[in-house]
Amino acid sequence: MHQVPLYINGEFTQSQSDKWLDVVNPANQEVLAQVPCATHDEVQAAITSAQEAFKTWRNVPVTERARIMMRYAALLKEHQEEIATIICHELGKTFEDAKGDVWRGIEVVEQAANAPALMMGETVENVARNIDTYSYIQPLGVCAGITPFNFPAMIPLWMFPMAIVCGNTFVLKPSEQDPLTPMRLVELFEEAGAPKGVLQVVHGAKEQVDQILTAPEVRAISFVGSCGVGSYIYSKGTENLKRVQACVGAKNHMVIMPDASREQTINNLVGASVGAAGQRCMGISVAVFVGKSKEWIDDLKAGLEKVRPGVWNDPEAAYGPQTSAQAKARILSLIESGKQQGATCLLDGSDFTVEGYENGNWVGPTLFTDVTPEMDIYKQEIFGPVLNCVCVDTLEEAITLVNNSPYGNGTSLFTASGAAARKFQHEIEVGQVGINIPIPVPLPFFSFTGWKNSFYGDQHTYGKQGVRFYTETKTITSRWFADEAVTGPNMSINLR
Ligand code: NAD
């Protein structure tokens, strides 16, 4: 059985832990590997090694650090399909979806290669007579990242390339559910020329995260995962005087105006709601039909009926299994609660299976109408292929509904009206808005800007905000006294 190594001080080492967890293929329950819950000493060794490496890494010219990112982006492109295949096995994504997971990470690495421009400070000459003020952007020290299961390539790549190119060193604690993908990312990072100690990887769960949250050497924590864990990490990290950015759960609404293109809207909605088995923090889980657009729910049902999950290399499969048997059980109990609480289930994927893979964690596309904000299927993040429909009379009502949601990760409006779009984008209290775009994830020259209960912190992930999160600004005010050698004997300027 493959035992996933730790990565400490540039060495892939076997953990001495006596606690190991199975890494399971969710399509057939095959145990692919075992991942350790690293010991206290191992986590400390990773942190200490990162602290030691920082002393020299911070002095490596930013251009050299950026060149490592250029080589890394090239290597990731070369190995994109191979990494995607690992994702397919340990998470069950379809091959196309898995390639996208890798690609969205590569784009962040490309952005990290722009570090020299992103790390420019500011300067004002003569803030007082012969006095200048200028600022430098400097790294923090040891930063850490704790990542979720659903994007095992993209989300680690949101974090460590940006932190490291800014001159920090980094300790990554990837999801224990799919650690094989991040380990491959790390091997390629080493191949790209990253020096020893700049990146460390420890495995585990709460205990290992707690040690990172309280370690005095760690200056900043990036987290992506569920709301409950994220609020805990934000509170505990800040209590220990660390910077924390925590991207957490979501409940994203798509608002559909009757003037929108019917076919385009329904096609987009089908993909955005059940794609990736609904395991996307920017996926759509509520469709809000305004006025007569509710007549399209029949088309939506017909569209979803054509979609079926399957194994990663089945070209007909629209999405894969849920990540674990527990995740599937949770989704089925929420579907049951929807029926009990009075929603109308137009399509029920609870009892779905894939021939030859009967013990996979399958859930078929599920569609509810007559959903109200009091129901659990409306309130809770389902993180499965379940779409809830709500009907309202006006755009105003739709905006109020979305704004009353405690979450604020993503939303979209489908319409042909510029006036409706402008009103929506101005009034909506959500951090990432799509106009006729169902899943508006910003490219990495912007930042990933979730709001409200979808994000705890102030500086967001990647883009300019990512650079600010991983750096300090140092502001220098300077004066130089000139003597005759500088001014010349005949100069009349009084430099004092
Ligand atoms: P999770 O919160 O269960 O786990 C995330 C990480 O936290 C893992 O590394 C895990 O080991 C660790 N962890 C788990 N329990 C912990 C505890 N009690 N104390 C400390 N650490 C703990 O999340 P998940 O199930 O892996 O991922 C799905 C969630 O992530 C969804 O809620 C989804 O919305 C969210 N997510 C958000 C974004 C975003 O950008 N907002 C992106 C992707 C996923």
Side-chain angles (χ1 to χ4, degrees):
M1 175 62 59
H2 174 60
Q3 296 194 310
V4 184
L6 306 169
Y7 184 62
I8 300 175
N9 196 27
E11 306 290 338
F12 291 93
T13 56
Q14 199 65 32
S15 172
Q16 298 306 306
S17 178
D18 53 14
K19 192 167 174 214
W20 294 74
L21 306 168
D22 289 342
V23 180
V24 178
N25 180 337
N28 59 11
Q29 312 303 339
E30 181 196 354
V31 178
L32 301 170
Q34 288 187 312
V35 65
C37 293
T39 66
H40 190 276
D41 287 352
E42 288 164 347
V43 175
Q44 187 55 51
I47 294 171
T48 306
S49 160
Q51 195 186 25
E52 199 52 36
F54 178 64
K55 292 179 191 160
T56 45
W57 179 244
R58 74 186 294 272
N59 295 322
V60 171
V62 64
T63 43
E64 269 183 48
R65 301 197 302 250
R67 266 182 221 119
I68 291 177
M69 296 303 158
M70 291 174 206
R71 285 197 292 274
Y72 190 37
L75 275 172
L76 289 169
K77 283 175 203 165
E78 204 181 300
H79 292 269
Q80 185 188 3
E81 296 204 342
E82 176 214 328
I83 302 165
T85 309
I86 302 173
I87 297 175
C88 292
H89 283 96
E90 63 177 347
L91 181 54
K93 284 189 182 186
T94 62
F95 192 46
E96 284 309 309
D97 195 22
K99 280 195 291 183
D101 186 336
V102 184
W103 183 255
R104 295 309 294 253
I106 290 171
E107 289 176 326
V108 183
V109 181
E110 287 176 335
Q111 171 71 355
N114 288 323
L118 292 168
M119 291 188 73
M120 277 186 188
E122 294 174 317
T123 171
V124 174
E125 195 186 34
N126 270 342
V127 291
R129 187 172 295 276
N130 297 318
I131 295 180
D132 307 323
T133 298
Y134 45 94
S135 63
Y136 289 137
I137 304 294
Q138 295 197 331
L140 296 174
V142 180
C143 300
I146 297 140
T147 55
F149 77 83
N150 67 327
F151 282 94
M154 177 184 81
I155 293 179
L157 292 173
W158 278 4
M159 299 178 182
F160 74 80
M162 287 306 281
I164 288 174
V165 84
C166 288
N168 302 285
T169 53
F170 202 85
V171 179
L172 174 68
K173 204 302 285 168
S175 172
E176 64 278 29
Q177 295 184 55
D178 44 16
L180 300 173
T181 305
M183 291 317 286
R184 188 66 189 121
L185 300 180
V186 171
E187 286 168 1
L188 293 172
F189 193 53
E190 192 180 81
E191 205 177 316
K196 257 181 195 278
V198 162
L199 175 63
Q200 322 277 330
V201 184
V202 294
H203 300 290
K206 182 175 182 345
E207 204 180 313
Q208 291 65 31
V209 172
D210 279 344
Q211 194 179 340
I212 292 170
L213 290 173
T214 49
E217 302 90 336
V218 174
R219 295 286 316 279
I221 311 245
S222 299
F223 171 80
V224 178
S226 60
C227 278
V229 178
S231 62
Y232 168 74
I233 283 179
Y234 184 77
S235 310
K236 192 151 178 138
T238 51
E239 187 185 305
N240 283 277
L241 305 179
K242 299 176 195 323
R243 284 186 192 182
V244 182
Q245 54 176 194
C247 300
V248 290
K251 196 81 191 174
N252 306 313
H253 297 63
M254 182 199 274
V255 175
I256 298 145
M257 299 296 286
D259 64 1
S261 153
R262 182 168 178 157
E263 197 187 336
Q264 293 282 4
T265 305
I266 297 305
N267 286 345
N268 276 275
L269 184 51
V270 167
S273 56
V274 300
Q279 301 178 132
R280 284 193 290 215
C281 70
M282 287 290 281
I284 297 294
S285 59
V286 183
V288 186
F289 290 90
V290 179
K292 277 181 167 297
S293 69
K294 63 173 174 270
E295 290 166 10
W296 307 353
I297 291 176
D298 287 345
D299 291 8
L300 177 61
K301 181 179 175 214
L304 286 168
E305 269 168 345
K306 289 191 205 124
V307 166
R308 58 168 192 79
V311 288
W312 70 275
N313 53 359
D314 172 357
E316 301 295 313
Y319 62 87
Q322 308 310 131
T323 180
S324 64
Q326 295 91 308
K328 174 177 170 174
R330 197 181 147 274
I331 294 163
L332 296 194
S333 86
L334 275 162
I335 293 175
E336 192 48 40
S337 81
K339 295 177 197 165
Q340 298 294 328
Q341 292 172 11
T344 308
C345 191
L346 293 180
L347 199 60
D348 185 353
S350 309
D351 196 17
F352 191 94
T353 192
V354 172
E355 210 186 317
Y357 296 86
E358 284 76 9
N359 59 356
N361 311 320
W362 309 107
V363 180
T366 300
L367 180 64
F368 281 106
T369 53
D370 305 318
V371 176
T372 63
E374 296 73 38
M375 295 175 182
D376 288 335
I377 50 169
Y378 184 85
K379 287 191 291 196
Q380 290 188 29
E381 182 181 36
I382 302 175
F383 227 52
V386 180
L387 179 60
N388 298 324
C389 299
V390 179
C391 300
V392 297
D393 294 326
T394 62
L395 176 61
E396 196 70 47
E397 263 183 82
I399 291 173
T400 303
L401 180 79
V402 178
N403 287 350
N404 283 341
S405 166
Y407 298 102
N409 218 32
T411 188
S412 61
L413 176 74
F414 274 66
T415 185
S417 158
R422 193 171 184 285
K423 179 179 170 68
F424 186 79
Q425 72 193 26
H426 180 67
E427 293 181 13
I428 211 74
E429 291 162 13
V430 173
Q432 300 172 105
V433 181
I435 304 296
N436 297 314
I437 301 282
I439 303 190
V441 176
L443 285 171
F445 24 90
F446 291 91
S447 298
F448 189 92
T449 53
W451 280 17
K452 301 201 290 194
N453 282 4
S454 294
F455 179 75
Y456 307 121
D458 40 26
Q459 300 290 353
H460 290 87
T461 304
Y462 63 70
K464 287 183 191 146
Q465 295 195 29
V467 172
R468 275 185 223 124
F469 180 75
Y470 290 126
T471 55
E472 300 269 31
T473 303
K474 183 179 281 176
T475 311
I476 301 156
T477 300
S478 81
R479 173 169 62 183
W480 294 94
F481 298 106
D483 57 19
E484 223 173 62
V486 175
T487 58
N490 300 323
M491 299 251 325
S492 57
I493 303 166
N494 178 2
L495 284 175
R496 308 277 160 114

